[in-house]
Amino acid sequence: MDFTMQNATLEDLNELSLLMNQAHKTMEHPEWFAADDDVYLKKHLEKHGFIVTARTKDKTLSGFFVIKYPAVSENYLGQILNFSDTQMQQTVYMDSAVVSPEFQGNHLQSRMLQNAEAQLKHQFQHCLCLATVHPDNRFSLNNMLKNGYEIQLTATLYGGLPRYVLLKEL
């Protein structure tokens, strides 16, 4: 199936939120995904990063991937890996991937990830995958591993949920 990859705009916010909620509600294992809210998505659309979307030919939103720009802060995941401030300023979070249940099986997570990496390739030295991959979520984990990410450690995040922290250097 053909999909168009493009960056979301503020006009897409409601649609992104609806898809995130739909995907989370229909997951067999909801603990595998830490859903975000509209405020979080809006921050990434405005200045904290960007969101890659996948759409069908008829413009149906099929999935999206949230990318978070580097920052040095108390909750920055790079601290778990003992990154220096300099390393954290060069590290991008490949944050959350959402794919509509209707379009799963089309490799959209990988395709959106690759699109985001192409946009970031010349800007940053490191690309850190935010620990949103639950150890039992073989679908997301395999997508990340196939795209060159490596497990750095297992951590307990998001109020007690196990997550792999993955890293890839661009």
Side-chain angles (χ1 to χ4, degrees):
M1 192 167 202
D2 285 333
F3 295 90
T4 301
M5 304 292 159
Q6 61 188 48
N7 289 356
T9 67
L10 280 173
E11 293 174 1
D12 299 315
L13 182 59
N14 288 337
E15 199 175 11
L16 296 170
S17 181
L18 286 171
L19 180 57
M20 180 174 286
N21 291 328
Q22 173 200 19
H24 191 253
K25 286 179 186 175
T26 60
M27 289 188 78
E28 183 179 347
H29 303 282
E31 69 276 8
W32 287 2
F33 182 69
D36 298 308
D37 60 20
D38 288 356
V39 173
Y40 187 81
L41 294 174
K42 186 176 180 185
K43 284 180 183 179
H44 287 80
L45 290 170
E46 291 178 331
K47 62 181 176 180
H48 291 282
F50 62 98
I51 300 174
V52 174
T53 63
R55 293 186 179 274
T56 61
K57 285 184 180 182
D58 69 357
K59 306 291 185 205
T60 300
L61 180 63
S62 309
F64 66 91
F65 209 124
V66 179
I67 291 82
K68 185 174 185 175
Y69 287 141
V72 177
S73 69
E74 220 174 273
N75 299 322
Y76 204 68
L77 190 59
Q79 291 179 338
I80 292 173
L81 298 176
N82 296 315
F83 280 9
S84 68
D85 285 356
T86 301
Q87 286 174 306
M88 286 194 285
Q89 290 168 351
Q90 298 172 333
T91 302
V92 176
Y93 283 168
M94 306 311 275
D95 195 342
S96 302
V98 176
V99 176
S100 170
E102 177 181 356
F103 296 102
Q104 291 175 355
N106 287 288
H107 309 285
L108 287 179
Q109 182 178 2
S110 284
R111 292 163 70 177
M112 292 183 294
L113 175 66
Q114 292 164 7
N115 181 284
E117 286 180 352
Q119 294 183 56
L120 295 166
K121 195 174 191 178
H122 302 290
Q123 297 178 32
F124 301 103
Q125 183 178 4
H126 293 96
C127 183
L128 176 66
C129 176
L130 184 65
T132 57
V133 180
H134 189 283
D136 295 333
N137 187 346
R138 59 184 163 82
F139 304 107
S140 288
L141 180 59
N142 287 337
N143 278 325
M144 300 309 287
L145 295 174
K146 286 178 185 176
N147 280 286
Y149 288 75
E150 296 178 359
I151 298 170
Q152 300 297 300
L153 58 86
T154 303
T156 302
L157 302 169
Y158 311 123
L161 298 174
R163 293 291 189 262
Y164 282 137
V165 178
L166 298 106
L167 180 70
K168 175 183 178 178
E169 284 191 46
L170 289 180

